[in-house]
Every structure is written in C-alpha cells, then in structure tokens.
Amino acid sequence: MESILYIGHGTRSKKGAQEARDFLNRIIGKSAAPIQEISFLELAEPSIGEAYENCIRRGATSIRVVPIFLLSAGHIKEDIPDILEKLKNNFPDIPVEMADPFGVQQAIIQAVCELIFQEALVLSKDDSVLLVGRGSSDPSVLEAFEEIKKGVADKIGASVKVCFLAAASPSFGEGLEEACADSPGRVIVVPYLLFGGLLLSEIENAVRKRKKQGIQIVHTGALSRHSAIEEIVIARAAGKEEKDAAPVH
C-alpha cells in the first residue's frame, strides 16, 4: 500500500509542535493515501525512524516522503537523506522517494502578499515590509530570499527588506532596527516560518516591544495561516508534482 511520511522540522515549543501536528492532520484528512504518518526531524516526537517503521508496520509497500520545509538547506540536502538511507537499508524492499521542499514559487509569494494586506489593509509608499527568515549558511537559501524579496516587492509596490533569525546577516535585531528607523510609515513584519514556536515568539515579542515604544508595526503570523500552504502539501502528498520528487539512493 502507498504511504506518506510527513517530516516537519520540530520545535521545543509544545504549542508550536501541536500547531504543526494539527496542520498535518488536516492534510491527512484530505489525502487519499491509506497510510499516512507524521514525524519530526528534531525536538519533537515522533521521530522520522518511529514514523517510518509505523508505515512499514501498517503494511506500506512504498513510502513517499513529504518534507514540510520551505527551502533547501542542510536538513534537506544532508540530514533527512542520511536518516532515510539508514532506514532504507533496514527495509530494502520498500521503495522510497522524497519530494522537494516548497522552494520559491508564485503561490507562496502571492500568499505572503495576501497576508501582508490582511494586516495592513492598504499599503502606502511610506510603509515597508520586513521579511524574516530562519537563516542558513547555505548560499542557495540567501539567493532564494532575494527572489522572494523581489517577487513580493513587485506585487505590493512597497519597500521590502530581508533579515534572518540565525546563521546569516543582517540579523533580525539589525533588520528590525533599520526598518523602524528608516520607514516613515508602518513596518509590516513577515515571519517566513511555517508554524509557531520559539522563533515566532521571538518575533512577536520584538514587535510588541516596538509597539509599546509608539512605532507603527504589525506582523502577519506564520505562513501556514494561508490556505496556499495546505494546498501545496496536499499536492505533494498526492504526487502531483513528480518533477519535484527525487529517489533516495
């Protein structure tokens, strides 16, 4: 039987982990695969290995891995494939394929723009957007954010800046400081994160602090608020984007 193994990043935040589980349970309810399991790379349970073995135990004859990751960095290029390779060696008769992360796509750029307008209602030329990424030392992630930045700016017609929570510059603190100092209007902060957790809490706290200082600032919340994210995962679970899938060797 066909099976789907969803892999989320994981978080120490119980609320954030439950948010991810709730999101994926909605996907499971809309997907036709007879066997579907949720797992996390780190910091939350069940682990990839536990969920993989659950698929086998339930009668899986093939496993399609759907990573719930926005962009391709070390976790996608190394960590997850390494874990899957070891598991595949334990069950050599079960074919495994892994879909790509979401990548830069117009559906997500459009979703970001719609989330911005949900918070800002109308943007003026004085308003600015601060796009906040998780951060990575992988150059491809930084290039992707430049694409996303340009795509959002072209659609909304306002200034868009990028910063990162870790492993890349400018840092979130630097980016927020600059955005607040430079923008004559409102600052709309866009956490480029799928779910809640400690990183989103960091952004929320910083925005709240600036509001108390009298700065006109709002944030859009996590990207999974928008239905486009759910639609992307459902499509990958159904194998409708085969060009994005790669065999696990």
CSV table of all heavy atoms in Angstrom, one decimal, residues 8-37:
chain,number,residue,atom,x,y,z
A,8,GLY,N,8.3,17.2,9.5
A,8,GLY,CA,8.4,18.6,9.9
A,8,GLY,C,9.8,18.8,10.6
A,8,GLY,O,10.5,17.9,11.0
A,9,HIS,N,10.1,20.1,10.8
A,9,HIS,CA,11.4,20.4,11.4
A,9,HIS,C,11.4,20.0,12.9
A,9,HIS,O,12.3,19.4,13.4
A,9,HIS,CB,11.7,21.9,11.3
A,9,HIS,CG,13.0,22.3,11.8
A,9,HIS,ND1,13.2,22.5,13.2
A,9,HIS,CD2,14.2,22.6,11.2
A,9,HIS,CE1,14.5,22.8,13.4
A,9,HIS,NE2,15.1,22.9,12.2
A,10,GLY,N,10.3,20.4,13.6
A,10,GLY,CA,10.3,20.2,15.1
A,10,GLY,C,10.7,21.5,15.8
A,10,GLY,O,11.3,22.4,15.3
A,11,THR,N,10.2,21.6,17.1
A,11,THR,CA,10.4,22.7,17.9
A,11,THR,C,10.3,22.3,19.4
A,11,THR,O,9.6,21.4,19.7
A,11,THR,CB,9.4,23.9,17.6
A,11,THR,OG1,9.6,24.9,18.6
A,11,THR,CG2,8.0,23.3,17.7
A,12,ARG,N,11.0,23.0,20.2
A,12,ARG,CA,10.9,22.8,21.7
A,12,ARG,C,9.5,23.3,22.2
A,12,ARG,O,9.1,22.9,23.3
A,12,ARG,CB,12.0,23.4,22.4
A,12,ARG,CG,13.4,22.8,22.2
A,12,ARG,CD,14.4,23.4,23.1
A,12,ARG,NE,15.7,22.7,22.9
A,12,ARG,CZ,16.6,23.1,22.0
A,12,ARG,NH1,16.3,24.1,21.2
A,12,ARG,NH2,17.8,22.5,21.9
A,13,SER,N,8.9,24.2,21.5
A,13,SER,CA,7.6,24.7,21.9
A,13,SER,C,6.5,23.7,21.7
A,13,SER,O,6.2,23.2,20.6
A,13,SER,CB,7.3,26.0,21.0
A,13,SER,OG,5.9,26.3,21.2
A,14,LYS,N,5.9,23.3,22.8
A,14,LYS,CA,4.8,22.3,22.7
A,14,LYS,C,3.6,22.9,21.9
A,14,LYS,O,3.0,22.2,21.1
A,14,LYS,CB,4.3,22.0,24.1
A,14,LYS,CG,5.3,21.2,24.9
A,14,LYS,CD,4.7,20.8,26.3
A,14,LYS,CE,5.7,19.9,27.1
A,14,LYS,NZ,5.2,19.6,28.4
A,15,LYS,N,3.4,24.2,22.0
A,15,LYS,CA,2.3,24.8,21.2
A,15,LYS,C,2.7,24.8,19.7
A,15,LYS,O,1.8,24.5,18.9
A,15,LYS,CB,2.1,26.3,21.7
A,15,LYS,CG,1.0,27.0,21.0
A,15,LYS,CD,0.9,28.4,21.5
A,15,LYS,CE,-0.2,29.2,20.7
A,15,LYS,NZ,-0.3,30.6,21.2
A,16,GLY,N,3.9,25.1,19.4
A,16,GLY,CA,4.3,25.1,18.0
A,16,GLY,C,4.3,23.7,17.4
A,16,GLY,O,3.8,23.5,16.3
A,17,ALA,N,4.7,22.7,18.2
A,17,ALA,CA,4.7,21.3,17.7
A,17,ALA,C,3.2,20.9,17.4
A,17,ALA,O,2.9,20.2,16.5
A,17,ALA,CB,5.4,20.4,18.6
A,18,GLN,N,2.3,21.2,18.4
A,18,GLN,CA,0.9,20.9,18.2
A,18,GLN,C,0.3,21.6,17.0
A,18,GLN,O,-0.5,21.0,16.3
A,18,GLN,CB,0.2,21.2,19.5
A,18,GLN,CG,-1.2,20.6,19.5
A,18,GLN,CD,-1.2,19.1,19.3
A,18,GLN,OE1,-0.5,18.4,20.0
A,18,GLN,NE2,-2.0,18.6,18.4
A,19,GLU,N,0.7,22.8,16.8
A,19,GLU,CA,0.2,23.5,15.6
A,19,GLU,C,0.6,22.8,14.3
A,19,GLU,O,-0.2,22.7,13.4
A,19,GLU,CB,0.8,24.9,15.6
A,19,GLU,CG,0.3,25.9,14.5
A,19,GLU,CD,0.9,27.2,14.6
A,19,GLU,OE1,1.2,27.7,15.7
A,19,GLU,OE2,1.1,27.9,13.6
A,20,ALA,N,1.9,22.3,14.3
A,20,ALA,CA,2.3,21.5,13.1
A,20,ALA,C,1.5,20.2,13.0
A,20,ALA,O,1.1,19.8,11.9
A,20,ALA,CB,3.8,21.2,13.2
A,21,ARG,N,1.3,19.6,14.1
A,21,ARG,CA,0.5,18.3,14.0
A,21,ARG,C,-0.9,18.6,13.6
A,21,ARG,O,-1.5,17.8,12.8
A,21,ARG,CB,0.5,17.6,15.4
A,21,ARG,CG,1.8,17.1,15.9
A,21,ARG,CD,1.7,16.3,17.2
A,21,ARG,NE,3.0,15.9,17.7
A,21,ARG,CZ,3.6,16.6,18.6
A,21,ARG,NH1,3.0,17.7,19.2
A,21,ARG,NH2,4.8,16.2,19.1
A,22,ASP,N,-1.5,19.6,14.1
A,22,ASP,CA,-2.9,19.9,13.7
A,22,ASP,C,-3.0,20.2,12.2
A,22,ASP,O,-3.9,19.8,11.5
A,22,ASP,CB,-3.4,21.2,14.5
A,22,ASP,CG,-3.6,20.8,16.0
A,22,ASP,OD1,-3.7,19.6,16.3
A,22,ASP,OD2,-3.7,21.8,16.7
A,23,PHE,N,-2.0,21.0,11.7
A,23,PHE,CA,-1.9,21.3,10.3
A,23,PHE,C,-1.8,20.0,9.5
A,23,PHE,O,-2.6,19.8,8.5
A,23,PHE,CB,-0.7,22.2,10.0
A,23,PHE,CG,-0.4,22.4,8.5
A,23,PHE,CD1,-1.1,23.4,7.8
A,23,PHE,CD2,0.5,21.6,7.9
A,23,PHE,CE1,-0.8,23.7,6.5
A,23,PHE,CE2,0.7,21.8,6.5
A,23,PHE,CZ,0.1,22.8,5.8
A,24,LEU,N,-0.9,19.1,9.9
A,24,LEU,CA,-0.7,17.9,9.1
A,24,LEU,C,-1.9,16.9,9.2
A,24,LEU,O,-2.2,16.2,8.3
A,24,LEU,CB,0.6,17.2,9.5
A,24,LEU,CG,1.8,17.9,9.1
A,24,LEU,CD1,3.1,17.4,9.7
A,24,LEU,CD2,2.0,17.9,7.5
A,25,ASN,N,-2.6,16.9,10.4
A,25,ASN,CA,-3.8,16.1,10.5
A,25,ASN,C,-4.9,16.6,9.6
A,25,ASN,O,-5.7,15.7,9.1
A,25,ASN,CB,-4.2,16.1,11.9
A,25,ASN,CG,-3.5,15.1,12.8
A,25,ASN,OD1,-3.1,14.0,12.3
A,25,ASN,ND2,-3.2,15.5,14.0
A,26,ARG,N,-4.9,17.9,9.3
A,26,ARG,CA,-5.9,18.4,8.3
A,26,ARG,C,-5.5,17.9,6.9
A,26,ARG,O,-6.4,17.5,6.1
A,26,ARG,CB,-5.9,19.9,8.3
A,26,ARG,CG,-6.5,20.5,9.5
A,26,ARG,CD,-6.9,21.9,9.3
A,26,ARG,NE,-5.8,22.8,9.0
A,26,ARG,CZ,-5.0,23.4,9.8
A,26,ARG,NH1,-5.2,23.2,11.1
A,26,ARG,NH2,-4.1,24.2,9.4
A,27,ILE,N,-4.2,17.8,6.6
A,27,ILE,CA,-3.8,17.3,5.3
A,27,ILE,C,-4.1,15.8,5.2
A,27,ILE,O,-4.7,15.4,4.2
A,27,ILE,CB,-2.2,17.4,5.2
A,27,ILE,CG1,-1.8,18.9,5.3
A,27,ILE,CG2,-1.7,16.8,3.9
A,27,ILE,CD1,-2.3,19.8,4.3
A,28,ILE,N,-3.9,15.1,6.3
A,28,ILE,CA,-4.2,13.6,6.3
A,28,ILE,C,-5.7,13.4,6.0
A,28,ILE,O,-6.1,12.5,5.2
A,28,ILE,CB,-3.8,13.0,7.6
A,28,ILE,CG1,-2.2,12.9,7.7
A,28,ILE,CG2,-4.4,11.6,7.8
A,28,ILE,CD1,-1.7,12.5,9.0
A,29,GLY,N,-6.5,14.2,6.6
A,29,GLY,CA,-7.9,14.1,6.3
A,29,GLY,C,-8.4,14.4,4.9
A,29,GLY,O,-9.5,14.0,4.5
A,30,LYS,N,-7.5,15.1,4.1
A,30,LYS,CA,-7.9,15.4,2.8
A,30,LYS,C,-7.1,14.6,1.7
A,30,LYS,O,-7.3,14.8,0.5
A,30,LYS,CB,-7.6,16.9,2.5
A,30,LYS,CG,-8.5,17.8,3.4
A,30,LYS,CD,-8.2,19.3,3.2
A,30,LYS,CE,-9.0,20.1,4.1
A,30,LYS,NZ,-8.7,21.6,4.0
A,31,SER,N,-6.2,13.7,2.2
A,31,SER,CA,-5.4,12.9,1.3
A,31,SER,C,-5.9,11.5,1.2
A,31,SER,O,-6.4,11.0,2.2
A,31,SER,CB,-3.9,13.0,1.7
A,31,SER,OG,-3.4,14.3,1.7
A,32,ALA,N,-5.7,10.9,0.0
A,32,ALA,CA,-6.3,9.6,-0.2
A,32,ALA,C,-5.4,8.4,0.2
A,32,ALA,O,-5.9,7.3,0.2
A,32,ALA,CB,-6.6,9.4,-1.7
A,33,ALA,N,-4.1,8.7,0.5
A,33,ALA,CA,-3.2,7.6,0.8
A,33,ALA,C,-3.7,6.8,2.0
A,33,ALA,O,-4.1,7.4,3.0
A,33,ALA,CB,-1.8,8.1,1.1
A,34,PRO,N,-3.7,5.5,1.9
A,34,PRO,CA,-4.3,4.7,3.0
A,34,PRO,C,-3.4,4.7,4.3
A,34,PRO,O,-3.9,4.5,5.4
A,34,PRO,CB,-4.3,3.3,2.5
A,34,PRO,CG,-3.3,3.2,1.4
A,34,PRO,CD,-3.3,4.6,0.8
A,35,ILE,N,-2.1,5.0,4.1
A,35,ILE,CA,-1.2,5.1,5.3
A,35,ILE,C,-0.5,6.4,5.3
A,35,ILE,O,0.1,6.8,4.3
A,35,ILE,CB,-0.2,3.9,5.2
A,35,ILE,CG1,-0.8,2.6,5.2
A,35,ILE,CG2,0.8,4.0,6.4
A,35,ILE,CD1,0.1,1.4,4.9
A,36,GLN,N,-0.6,7.2,6.4
A,36,GLN,CA,0.0,8.5,6.5
A,36,GLN,C,0.5,8.6,7.9
A,36,GLN,O,-0.2,8.4,8.9
A,36,GLN,CB,-1.0,9.6,6.1
A,36,GLN,CG,-1.5,9.5,4.7
A,36,GLN,CD,-2.5,10.6,4.4
A,36,GLN,OE1,-2.0,11.8,4.3
A,36,GLN,NE2,-3.8,10.3,4.3
A,37,GLU,N,1.8,9.1,8.0
A,37,GLU,CA,2.4,9.2,9.3
A,37,GLU,C,3.1,10.6,9.4
A,37,GLU,O,3.6,11.1,8.4
A,37,GLU,CB,3.4,8.1,9.6
A,37,GLU,CG,2.8,6.7,9.8
A,37,GLU,CD,2.1,6.6,11.2
A,37,GLU,OE1,2.4,7.3,12.1
A,37,GLU,OE2,1.3,5.6,11.3
